Amino acid sequence: MLAFLDYDGTLTTHECNEIVLQRFVGDAWRPLEAEAKADRMSHAECFDRQIGLIKAPREEFLGALVAEAEPAPGLPAFLAELEARGGRPVIVSAGLREAIAAVWSREKLPPVELHASELVGAGPQGGPPYRLAFSGVLGDCPRCGPRACKGAALRALRRPGEPVLVFGDGASDLCPAREADLTFARGHLAERCADEGLEWRPLADFTTVWSDVDAWTARR
Ligand SMILES: [Mg+2]
Ligand SMILES: [Zn+2]
């Protein structure tokens, strides 16, 4: 079993990117977000342009992302049970790899395969202006844009016959949700899964995921 995991707002209790953007750039990130949610701009272009608004030094920006992150309740037990069942966790995120790795080590969470973005700073000491270099595991898609689709990542990572659980909350999680056996969704993704009639369950936190999975498996 493959657990295909979004990071921000899915493994964390809050949308850390949004909170930190608000702190550093005020409301300037919001019009971009509205364009992406209305499918008028790809989520990848949106996030790249939002990151481009940040003028803070690199350590300050990354440090704020790490400080803001609080793991969702039940996450460590969920990961332990996944391992006990012979499954594997993979995080596929447009978020910043350095920040995610720092949170993972601070929280002493079990090892996970991580595909995330590099923060590229063109200024001194890798500082602003910033842009994102997305993970190479992402692929092309008319909806997400070139080299920005998590659905393509799912196809690349999935082993033949392997059941896939997708966990997400945002617009970028819709493409993998369309290919999942079962999706656990919050926020915007939950609305999109409901609209499209996908097989999905609400993700409050990780404490009830396995009972939902077992109930779903029993009915298949
Ligand atoms: Mg997210
Ligand atoms: Zn896509």
Side-chain angles (χ1 to χ4, degrees):
M1 176 174 282
L2 171 64
F4 187 96
L5 303 156
D6 171 52
Y7 170 74
D8 194 33
T10 299
L11 302 184
T12 63
T13 53
H14 302 97
E15 295 274 358
C16 305
N17 292 331
E18 292 186 1
I19 293 167
V20 171
L21 279 165
Q22 185 70 33
R23 185 179 310 157
F24 286 112
V25 310
D27 286 331
W29 64 277
R30 292 181 182 274
L32 294 163
E33 195 72 19
E35 289 296 290
K37 284 199 170 137
D39 282 337
R40 288 189 296 266
M41 180 187 293
S42 78
H43 47 80
E45 180 182 352
C46 170
F47 192 39
D48 187 43
R49 288 175 63 171
Q50 287 173 333
I51 293 298
L53 297 169
I54 302 267
K55 302 283 188 280
R58 187 181 186 91
E59 295 311 316
E60 188 181 338
F61 175 39
L62 288 168
L65 286 170
V66 174
E68 206 56 55
E70 179 191 357
L75 180 61
F78 165 78
L79 292 170
E81 178 66 14
L82 178 66
E83 189 183 4
R85 293 179 181 217
R88 59 192 182 113
V90 179
I91 296 175
V92 179
S93 171
L96 300 176
R97 182 194 56 76
E98 286 174 81
I100 298 169
V103 170
W104 224 253
S105 95
R106 184 191 71 198
E107 300 294 332
K108 301 183 172 55
L109 291 163
V112 61
E113 186 175 325
L114 174 60
H115 302 276
S117 297
E118 298 301 326
L119 178 66
V120 181
Q125 286 93 47
Y130 296 116
R131 66 174 181 84
L132 291 174
F134 292 99
S135 163
V137 80
L138 302 180
D140 300 343
C141 165
R143 181 177 162 266
C144 305
R147 297 178 302 283
C149 180
K150 290 189 183 184
L154 188 155
R155 290 192 291 279
L157 293 165
R158 176 181 224 165
R159 294 170 185 158
E162 187 178 39
V164 178
L165 305 178
V166 164
F167 298 79
D169 73 322
S172 66
D173 303 312
L174 180 58
C175 283
R178 286 170 172 165
E179 305 201 22
D181 292 292
L182 180 62
T183 295
F184 287 84
R186 285 176 166 171
H188 180 70
L189 181 66
E191 293 168 24
R192 301 294 293 257
C193 286
D195 286 349
E196 298 201 7
L198 301 180
E199 185 77 356
W200 73 285
R201 301 288 180 274
L203 178 68
D205 58 40
F206 282 82
T207 58
T208 57
V209 165
W210 287 116
S211 59
D212 285 347
V213 170
D214 290 339
W216 168 76
T217 306
R219 289 203 294 108
R220 290 181 94 188

